Amino acid sequence: MTTISKESAIVTLINVFTVEPEKQKKLIDLLIQATEKTMRHLPGFISANIHRSIDGKQVVNYAQWRSRQDFEAMLKNPAAIPHMQEIASFTKFEPNLYEVVESIGV
Amino acid sequence: MTTISKESAIVTLINVFTVEPEKQKKLIDLLIQATEKTMRHLPGFISANIHRSIDGKQVVNYAQWRSRQDFEAMLKNPAAIPHMQEIASFTKFEPNLYEVVESIGV
């Protein structure tokens, strides 16, 4: 289980993937595989949370890293690059780094 | 504190706002105000989690609703519409509904 809190001094990667609906399942499987095999073992990884859009056209990875430096080191890691290249071959994606500024619950 | 779990039978709204960096703070303030004054009191609201991008150009609201029907009722609620109109006057945004398919932590 992942928690979202503005008290955590972490960075959040929100990566929105656009995909043909018939390939949404394939993308989800590859993201899970990349996370299980590689990402989760890298320094600073905290969590990855894969979301499928109900309309079938998007997938979001909501991921947490200890620091921006850890995230940027992952981007250059030789074990991570082939996963990202495979996914890039059939999707468009827009990753961005965030910090939580407010969390309001009932 | 918000939790992300694939076991929850809820819907997740991920709304990515694009904004001029000098208006990022204004957008965040309006989203917090809309949530505190209106959204959190509507049926089915679970949480809203406001994220600022480190590059200043985006804001993401990661929000949880009990059901798609509750979310769609909010969109038509006369108390919610003025908040959305004010925010739409100076941002672009792309809301989409999701379900969590996998959550992987260390």
Side-chain angles (χ1 to χ4, degrees):
Chain A
M1 200 181 64
T2 296
T3 61
I4 304 176
S5 164
K6 68 173 176 171
E7 311 308 332
S8 309
I10 62 170
V11 295
T12 302
L13 165 72
I14 300 176
N15 200 345
V16 181
F17 298 82
T18 302
V19 66
E20 294 168 38
E22 61 271 25
K23 293 183 180 165
Q24 192 192 38
K25 176 70 167 62
K26 175 184 174 185
L27 171 57
I28 289 167
D29 291 344
L30 286 171
L31 286 168
I32 293 171
Q33 191 181 320
T35 305
E36 291 283 11
K37 277 183 65 174
T38 303
M39 306 305 182
R40 72 181 299 171
H41 307 292
L42 298 181
F45 174 88
I46 298 171
S47 77
N49 302 273
I50 315 297
H51 298 65
R52 62 175 291 279
S53 72
I54 293 172
D55 71 5
K57 298 177 186 172
Q58 293 189 306
V59 172
V60 169
N61 183 12
Y62 181 102
Q64 297 171 317
W65 289 83
R66 185 176 51 194
S67 70
R68 180 177 188 157
Q69 288 70 32
D70 289 315
F71 170 71
E72 288 172 352
M74 177 277 289
L75 293 178
K76 295 177 193 154
N77 188 297
I81 289 170
H83 294 296
M84 296 186 283
Q85 285 174 336
E86 184 173 7
I87 287 169
S89 73
F90 68 99
T91 72
K92 286 194 303 180
F93 51 92
E94 297 185 61
N96 215 340
L97 288 181
Y98 294 85
E99 57 185 32
V100 179
V101 288
E102 195 62 75
S103 181
I104 300 164
V106 281
Chain B
M1 200 183 63
T2 296
T3 60
I4 303 176
S5 163
K6 67 174 177 171
E7 311 307 331
S8 309
I10 62 171
V11 295
T12 302
L13 165 72
I14 300 176
N15 200 346
V16 181
F17 297 82
T18 303
V19 66
E20 293 168 38
E22 61 270 26
K23 294 183 179 164
Q24 191 192 41
K25 176 72 167 59
K26 175 184 174 186
L27 171 58
I28 289 167
D29 291 345
L30 286 171
L31 286 168
I32 293 172
Q33 190 183 319
T35 305
E36 292 283 11
K37 277 183 65 174
T38 304
M39 306 304 182
R40 72 180 299 172
H41 307 291
L42 298 181
F45 174 87
I46 298 170
S47 78
N49 303 273
I50 315 297
H51 298 66
R52 62 175 292 278
S53 72
I54 293 171
D55 71 6
K57 298 177 187 173
Q58 294 190 305
V59 173
V60 169
N61 183 11
Y62 181 102
Q64 297 171 317
W65 289 84
R66 185 176 50 193
S67 70
R68 180 177 187 155
Q69 289 71 31
D70 289 314
F71 169 72
E72 288 172 353
M74 177 277 288
L75 293 179
K76 296 178 193 153
N77 187 297
I81 289 170
H83 294 295
M84 294 186 284
Q85 285 174 336
E86 183 173 8
I87 287 168
S89 73
F90 68 98
T91 71
K92 286 194 304 181
F93 51 92
E94 297 185 61
N96 215 339
L97 288 180
Y98 295 85
E99 57 185 31
V100 179
V101 288
E102 195 64 72
S103 181
I104 300 165
V106 281

